[in-house]
Amino acid sequence: MPRYNPGRIEAKWQTYWEENQTFKTSEMPAGEKLYVLDMFPYPSGNGLHVGHPEGYTATDITCRFERMRGKSVLHPMGYDAFGLPAEEHAIKTNTPPRESTEKNIANFTRQLKMLGFSYDWSRCLATTDVGYFKWTQWIFLLLFDTWFDIEQNKGRPISELPIPEDVSAEGELAVAKYRDQHRLAYLDDALVNWCADLGTVLANEEVIDGRSERGNYPVKRIPLRQWMLRITAYADRLENDLEGVNWSDGIKKLQRDWIGRSAGAEVDFYIGEQDAYHDWKTGRAVTGFPDQIKNDTLRVYTTRPDTLYGATYMVIAPEHPAVENLVTAGQQEEVKAYCEKASFKSDRERTEDSKSKTGVFTGAYAINPVNGAKVPIWVADYVLISYGTGAIMAVPAHDERDYQFAKEYGIDIIAVVDPGERKGIDRGAVLAGQQCFHGAGVAINSGEYDGLQTADFKKTIREVLEVQGTGTSAVNYKLRDWLFSRQRFWGEPFPILHELDDEDNPTGIIRGVDEADLPVDLPPLEDYKPHGRPEPPLAKADDDWLYPVIDGKRYRRETNTMPQWAGSCWYYLRYIDPTNEDCFVNPEKEKAWMPVDLYIGGAEHAVLHLLYARFWHKVLYDRGHVTTVEPFQRLVNQGMILGEMEFSVYQDAAKDWVGVDKVSRDDEGRYRQEDGTEVLPVKLTEEKVTKQGDTFVLADDESIRVDARSFKMSKSRGNVINPDEIVENYGADSLRLYEMFMGPLTATKPWAMSGVNGVKGFLDRVWRMIVNDRAETLALNEMVFDIEADADALKILHKTIKAVTKDTENLDFNTAIARMMEFVNHFTKQQERPRSVMQSFVLLLAPYAPHIAEELWELLGAEETLAYEPWPEFDESFLIESTIEIPIQIKGKVKSRISVAADISKDDLQQAAQNDEKMQELLAGSEIVKVIVVPGRLVNFVTK
RNA sequence: GGCCGAGUGGCGGAAUUGGCAGACGCUCAGGAUUUAAAAUCCUGUGUCCGAUAGGACGUGCGGGUUCGAGUCCCGCCUCGGCUACCA
């Protein structure tokens, strides 16, 4: 009984916390608030992975620590529960996905509770809760009701959208259409992955190399009318507001790069009748640069308008609407075949081999507006229809891709930027068109602009084009509008109705479901199998659900569902007020608790989730529903946890060893030696391996190199660690402690079971330091006394308090644990352990290993939880040392040490160093050139 | 190909940011306790030379700055993550 028994203690305190609602958070914060959030998990059937508790333990330590420091802490947990695996399971077993989802949630909850996290479980939510997605739908309707005012740079109610006169003149339907075109949520044709053999539409991650992941059937990309969210309207704000937020530079950069803002110019090239070019150009000088182009014009986007004189050909994307119009009779067939082929290729395939470029000549020419030069127009799939204008002017001398293409097809390369003499650039080759140079330089071969610096040229030519009406400044983003619908069952239904006419055909009028009629719940289905049409499974619902009648008008419900990202875009707001039925969050509570002060999660969500959530937040902000510009003030990404270190080597057919340096992997994934013979990988145990220099080799044969590395945990590799097992064998406190002790929170680190045993050993020692483990019943160790702590004990204690406090504040949990270990190493050697010192230590340990801490706290005399005990304060006066040891160096190498008074003066320190016996010896006969004295640190003699 | 991060003992990792490299833990070895084992406790554990005392070398590699570099600068190498023709 008195041995440390985590199983008993952990169950006891988990029950205590639950029964006493120890971590229930008040509706409104009292005093300083702290909102600490974990990225909520997808409740997969596999249960928790050891990667999950890494971040969760980090946030839990922070929360328990800050509660003891008196803050009002909000620390919730929930589930991102819509997702494909549940739907696949539903199809296979013909059970509603909700069933398996709820089972998995129950399992996750059990596992999370088993780890002793101090969540306020009364706030737990799942994105699949009808009461939750009611408000997800409500926010969608808000997006549907919002247009983006470019002048004010904010989202406004659609009712305030100015309607142009010519539109309102066309009548109500035209006005409705105009509004629909401007909403943040709008319908557009987008390509989906249609797999005819499976009779369903597939998500991108279900498509591998143009074939279905399941069954390996061909997948074709077909256009389908789908919901889009106008996130690009917020691109600049999403980029600029990163400045005010405490995230790592790495993540900020990732987001900036994803948004990918580029500033350049749109330029019009004439593609009409040759003779009319002059008229076109003079006409443009009058009309200016038009919003919409006619089919005598090809519009391109470029970031390098200073290279216009170097444009030796044009490229349009295969899907460009001008292809048909441009292609000459002779090239008709070739171009058609090329475009057809491109349509079967996914974006992935197109970009797979980015070295070799393909394309075909259309037979047509465009006229360069700066010099009237005739430029051939090609179709090539290295130009994407979805970026810029889907057409480019190609400047092979100064663009890597154009250069490759021009080389491939023998197109002229004219240098128009002189790089000058610089490192790594062969100027002669660039000028001769034999090397591509994409930096800034001085203009050449550019008529009247020769001699201009790139930056000046850009500015000048933009002004000239503007005046001519042939060009204008333009900004583009890599970020595209967000494709927001999925052809799936297990997602939030859109609260949208399509009006039908008397013949049940859509009139084109769409409306939102009235707020009073929310939520739109998922209909029950006979089965969840795909129905074989490129249309969502909700189309199989009963007519009752599918065709509502309102005010005598018949409608068809939208049958797409929202993507998994939807629910995770705003869950952090719902936690603040999880059961509110009148409002997605009470405004006063929102104001009191927001923003999230610390958000911890995996780097896999560094871009999309965070970008999407920030976008929704900004829309909510513009419409006055939240008070902060950004939702997540501080973001930390935990590192990945890899499997245990593995040693491997190869064996040939004769079972002879083959070193890893002699083997490579072929296209089929088989391992081969240089001569082509196949070898098989063999796993080795640690004792078969030894280190030689930088590499590992076989202990029996040191000429054979062994591979030593840790791999990502995966089912197929069989190196997944299950938290249940760890808790069973070592206890939750050991798991928590080990996850934190492995290394810095943000680092990638390999799992080592022996390390778990190590921290268990530490908790055992903590236990024995305070508990008499040989007694029959639970009793204090007889070395714990109610005595005044002496100076030595206080010094160790306060040193520990200081270090643990600072490290915990900085999320340096690994070193905080090391300091606690030092404390325990010291006091287990002491025959007298003051009770007050033990109590303070238990409080320091509590955020890290809360169960054992509560048990010891109780044993040391407390009647209730330590969760709200004040955090120990350290007193600097106990830390002052009277004497310190100072190293003495000669030319930077430590030669001796002396013990001196801590407050010794610089001169005295130097004198003391010089008087040191050993230094006398070493310095004899050499000339002291210089002495460096750093008080409290060191003395360094520079000698000749 | 691009971007980001990281290379320190047999392993995971420390190092007040330019000031005693290797804290803490694991592993391994030796010892104590035990009839024995487990558990526990103690000692040692970067490499090389040396019985010892001690000495030399050491933070991926090559240079540099400095009295002094794991830390700063220049040039490489290796590994990991993300990303993929964005004109």
Side-chain angles (χ1 to χ4, degrees):
Chain A
M1 156 77 167
R3 297 240 331 231
Y4 170 45
N5 180 348
R8 183 188 67 81
I9 296 173
E10 288 169 6
K12 170 182 165 185
W13 288 99
Q14 283 162 20
T15 308
Y16 175 96
W17 295 328
E18 190 145 352
E19 282 176 356
N20 290 279
Q21 302 200 15
T22 306
F23 302 111
K24 189 163 164 60
T25 311
S26 53
E27 298 283 297
M28 295 287 277
E32 202 181 333
K33 70 94 184 177
L34 189 79
Y35 185 176
V36 180
L37 181 66
D38 291 304
M39 286 185 188
F40 65 169
Y42 172 72
S44 85
N46 301 327
L48 226 52
H49 173 277
V50 289
H52 289 114
E54 190 191 12
Y56 302 162
T57 304
T59 51
D60 196 57
I61 290 169
T62 301
C63 289
R64 289 174 176 271
F65 171 64
E66 295 292 0
R67 272 188 212 106
M68 293 170 80
R69 301 219 293 179
K71 289 193 184 154
S72 264
V73 174
L74 178 60
H75 188 215
M77 177 48 81
Y79 301 100
D80 190 13
F82 281 119
L84 274 178
E87 181 153 353
E88 272 161 25
H89 185 261
I91 292 169
K92 229 181 282 164
T93 60
N94 203 26
T95 51
R98 185 172 290 283
E99 277 178 23
S100 64
T101 302
E102 276 169 6
K103 218 172 76 199
N104 292 344
I105 287 177
N107 188 41
F108 259 68
T109 304
R110 174 190 66 78
Q111 288 186 303
L112 290 168
K113 287 191 172 174
M114 152 189 107
L115 292 169
F117 297 129
S118 62
Y119 296 120
D120 177 354
W121 283 105
S122 71
R123 293 168 187 262
C124 186
L125 57 84
T127 52
T128 48
D129 294 342
V130 181
Y132 179 85
F133 71 65
K134 168 182 175 178
W135 297 105
T136 309
Q137 291 170 338
W138 182 86
I139 295 172
F140 176 81
L141 287 176
L142 185 77
L143 288 154
F144 183 68
D145 185 61
T146 305
W147 65 287
F148 193 81
D149 183 340
I150 292 163
E151 262 150 50
Q152 292 184 22
N153 197 20
K154 66 178 276 199
R156 296 173 59 193
I158 196 75
S159 58
E160 294 174 12
L161 174 71
I163 308 290
E165 265 176 43
D166 54 331
V167 173
S168 47
E170 282 178 56
E172 231 174 90
L173 190 65
V175 171
K177 285 252 158 90
Y178 184 82
R179 286 206 178 106
D180 289 347
Q181 278 165 17
H182 288 80
R183 299 174 189 272
L184 293 185
Y186 63 97
L187 279 165
D188 198 10
D189 287 321
L191 295 174
V192 297
N193 304 302
W194 166 243
C195 181
D197 294 87
L198 290 175
T200 186
V201 168
L202 298 175
N204 285 332
E205 55 269 27
E206 295 175 295
V207 183
I208 296 165
D209 294 333
R211 303 184 78 86
S212 63
E213 188 189 11
R214 279 179 297 126
N216 195 33
Y217 301 112
V219 173
K220 199 178 167 189
R221 289 157 62 77
I222 59 167
L224 202 68
R225 198 117 180 107
Q226 300 192 71
W227 286 96
M228 308 289 291
L229 296 186
R230 208 178 298 280
I231 188 172
T232 50
Y234 283 81
D236 278 347
R237 276 167 63 187
L238 288 168
E239 182 173 347
N240 295 335
D241 290 346
L242 285 171
E243 264 171 43
V245 117
N246 180 11
W247 298 10
S248 74
D249 289 341
I251 297 292
K252 286 189 186 182
K253 191 173 182 325
L254 231 49
Q255 291 232 334
R256 286 207 181 93
D257 289 352
W258 193 265
I259 294 165
R261 184 181 201 274
S262 95
E266 283 183 0
V267 183
D268 282 350
F269 282 61
Y270 180 69
I271 51 173
E273 289 299 320
Q274 281 280 328
D275 308 340
Y277 169 64
H278 189 73
D279 291 345
W280 176 82
K281 204 168 168 196
T282 49
R284 275 301 181 86
V286 177
T287 61
F289 189 78
D291 283 346
Q292 301 281 328
I293 50 167
K294 296 198 196 110
N295 56 11
D296 60 358
T297 301
L298 183 64
R299 180 165 289 178
V300 302
Y301 172 71
T302 176
T303 54
R304 292 295 299 272
D306 62 296
T307 59
L308 264 163
Y309 284 84
T312 52
Y313 65 101
M314 318 283 291
V315 183
I316 59 179
E319 301 85 353
H320 197 284
V323 171
E324 252 178 86
N325 172 30
L326 277 173
V327 64
T328 56
Q331 294 298 102
Q332 197 79 253
E333 241 165 78
E334 210 183 331
V335 169
K336 207 177 157 195
Y338 183 83
C339 293
E340 177 106 352
K341 213 171 128 203
S343 77
F344 281 103
K345 284 204 236 171
S346 67
D347 279 357
R348 186 61 183 256
E349 281 176 292
R350 282 201 200 179
T351 59
E352 220 152 53
D353 186 13
S354 61
K355 284 265 150 55
S356 70
K357 308 235 175 313
T358 60
V360 287
F361 181 43
T362 60
Y365 291 85
I367 298 177
N368 189 331
V370 293
N371 58 1
K374 251 179 87 176
V375 191
I377 304 172
W378 290 64
V379 176
D381 65 5
Y382 81 89
V383 167
L384 308 174
I385 186 65
S386 51
Y387 186 79
T389 58
I392 62 159
M393 64 173 203
V395 186
H398 306 292
D399 181 284
E400 205 62 56
R401 297 148 300 185
D402 298 343
Y403 181 81
Q404 284 163 14
F405 190 86
K407 278 276 172 199
E408 182 73 37
Y409 291 97
I411 300 169
D412 289 349
I413 300 171
I414 301 170
V416 293
V417 180
D418 182 350
E421 294 300 339
R422 64 174 82 190
K423 228 166 92 185
I425 302 283
D426 181 348
R427 185 184 180 192
V430 172
L431 297 182
Q434 278 149 15
Q435 190 186 333
C436 173
F437 167 72
H438 52 253
V442 175
I444 51 171
N445 296 326
S446 298
E448 58 194 286
Y449 304 103
D450 279 356
L452 274 179
Q453 293 287 334
T454 297
D456 298 335
F457 193 173
K458 277 189 189 176
K459 196 164 159 263
T460 308
I461 194 74
R462 260 200 295 244
E463 283 161 11
V464 170
L465 293 169
E466 199 82 50
V467 170
Q468 288 183 348
T470 51
T472 191
S473 295
V475 169
N476 268 295
Y477 302 94
K478 251 163 90 171
L479 180 72
R480 312 294 154 84
D481 275 346
W482 177 8
L483 175 61
F484 194 67
S485 37
R486 299 289 184 272
Q487 293 70 47
R488 289 284 161 186
F489 173 78
W490 194 225
E492 299 89 344
F494 282 84
I496 289 290
L497 302 172
H498 298 265
E499 193 182 282
L500 300 176
D501 64 15
D502 296 339
E503 267 101 51
D504 262 7
N505 294 316
T507 61
I509 292 193
I510 47 179
R511 53 168 287 181
V513 171
D514 284 340
E515 196 182 323
D517 295 332
L518 294 180
V520 178
D521 201 353
L522 284 161
L525 293 189
E526 291 269 313
D527 67 77
Y528 300 87
K529 290 191 193 80
H531 47 48
R533 299 184 302 276
E535 171 180 28
L538 288 188
K540 297 207 308 188
D542 285 352
D543 286 1
D544 284 356
W545 186 89
L546 200 54
Y547 296 103
V549 176
I550 300 167
D551 296 335
K553 268 192 192 140
R554 206 166 132 81
Y555 295 91
R556 185 173 198 269
R557 277 193 202 280
E558 172 65 47
T559 51
N560 281 293
T561 50
M562 298 187 203
Q564 199 184 351
W565 304 108
S568 60
C569 271
W570 73 284
Y571 72 113
Y572 58 94
L573 290 167
R574 189 63 178 172
Y575 283 140
I576 291 170
D577 195 10
T579 54
N580 195 328
E581 287 182 20
D582 306 319
C583 183
F584 77 102
V585 59
N586 173 292
E588 270 167 45
K589 291 183 189 171
E590 184 278 330
K591 198 170 175 204
W593 285 110
M594 283 298 287
V596 173
D597 298 287
L598 177 64
Y599 192 20
I600 296 188
E604 68 272 22
H605 295 119
V607 177
L608 293 182
H609 158 61
L610 289 169
L611 208 56
Y612 293 155
R614 293 176 62 220
F615 163 51
W616 278 37
H617 194 86
K618 286 182 188 306
V619 177
L620 289 168
Y621 176 80
D622 285 352
R623 297 296 305 267
H625 297 288
V626 297
T627 53
T628 65
V629 178
E630 284 287 327
F632 313 122
Q633 187 47 43
R634 182 170 182 211
L635 174 81
V636 175
N637 287 121
Q638 79 220 33
M640 202 193 329
I641 296 183
L642 306 174
E644 293 243 9
M645 165 99 98
E646 293 174 31
F647 297 97
S648 60
V649 71
Y650 300 92
Q651 272 183 335
D652 62 17
K655 296 274 178 202
D656 286 331
W657 299 112
V658 179
V660 287
D661 48 330
K662 308 260 188 308
V663 173
S664 55
R665 223 169 160 165
D666 69 14
D667 295 341
E668 285 111 59
R670 278 197 273 265
Y671 300 93
R672 294 189 187 281
Q673 296 192 67
E674 265 172 48
D675 61 15
T677 51
E678 193 175 346
V679 290
L680 293 171
V682 180
K683 270 196 198 176
L684 297 169
T685 51
E686 207 178 335
E687 58 268 23
K688 293 236 169 83
V689 168
T690 184
K691 192 153 188 185
Q692 195 183 64
D694 282 345
T695 53
F696 283 90
V697 294
L698 272 185
D700 294 343
D701 181 352
E702 299 195 347
S703 68
I704 305 294
R705 256 176 73 176
V706 171
D707 190 37
R709 51 196 287 204
S710 300
F711 297 88
K712 234 189 230 182
M713 286 192 192
S714 70
K715 249 192 188 165
S716 57
R717 192 167 267 281
N719 60 351
V720 177
I721 308 278
N722 180 351
D724 282 335
E725 258 170 60
I726 309 293
V727 172
E728 170 82 28
N729 296 329
Y730 302 92
D733 282 337
S734 289
L735 174 62
R736 294 170 57 114
L737 219 48
Y738 176 64
E739 297 235 4
M740 296 299 100
F741 189 59
M742 286 168 89
L745 181 61
T746 53
T748 304
K749 33 203 181 260
W751 187 269
M753 210 51 96
S754 57
V756 187
N757 200 41
V759 292
K760 168 72 165 28
F762 163 65
L763 291 179
D764 275 324
R765 285 195 296 283
V766 170
W767 183 258
R768 287 194 303 269
M769 176 174 74
I770 295 173
V771 177
N772 181 350
D773 69 331
R774 274 167 309 199
E776 290 297 316
T777 55
L778 192 60
L780 274 182
N781 189 307
E782 60 267 32
M783 293 179 216
V784 176
F785 295 103
D786 280 311
I787 46 165
E788 287 270 311
D790 61 19
D792 199 38
L794 286 174
K795 192 200 280 176
I796 302 287
L797 172 66
H798 283 264
K799 238 172 82 180
T800 308
I801 296 174
K802 184 179 179 179
V804 172
T805 305
K806 195 186 114 240
D807 288 349
T808 307
E809 276 172 354
N810 296 335
L811 312 182
D812 291 329
F813 305 121
N814 54 332
T815 50
I817 294 167
R819 298 292 88 83
M820 289 192 272
M821 286 172 168
E822 286 174 338
F823 176 97
V824 173
N825 289 344
H826 177 264
F827 276 97
T828 46
K829 291 192 180 89
Q830 302 302 310
Q831 302 302 304
E832 290 187 350
R833 303 168 194 165
R835 183 196 289 256
S836 60
V837 172
M838 294 298 110
Q839 283 173 318
S840 295
F841 171 77
V842 165
L843 294 178
L844 296 183
L845 180 66
Y848 292 81
H851 308 89
I852 190 176
E854 290 273 23
E855 184 73 9
L856 295 173
W857 183 247
E858 186 182 56
L859 182 64
L860 285 162
E863 310 230 305
E864 54 180 51
T865 176
L866 49 61
Y868 296 93
E869 283 298 314
W871 184 254
E873 295 282 334
F874 69 90
D875 185 338
E876 200 78 47
S877 66
F878 293 123
L879 302 180
I880 294 167
E881 308 262 0
S882 53
T883 60
I884 51 172
E885 197 177 72
I886 296 287
I888 309 171
Q889 305 177 329
I890 294 178
K891 291 198 271 197
K893 305 228 148 128
V894 181
K895 295 291 176 184
S896 182
R897 287 161 215 281
I898 50 168
S899 206
V900 295
D903 55 354
I904 193 169
S905 74
K906 210 172 160 178
D907 292 344
D908 289 350
L909 178 58
Q910 181 177 342
Q911 201 55 54
Q914 228 149 350
N915 291 345
D916 178 57
E917 233 176 82
K918 189 148 182 223
M919 294 315 286
Q920 296 263 326
E921 231 172 83
L922 291 167
L923 289 171
S926 49
E927 187 194 334
I928 299 174
V929 184
K930 196 174 171 187
V931 185
I932 286 105
V933 183
V934 186
R937 278 243 162 273
L938 56 70
V939 181
N940 185 13
F941 293 97
V942 187
T943 58
K944 234 187 200 167

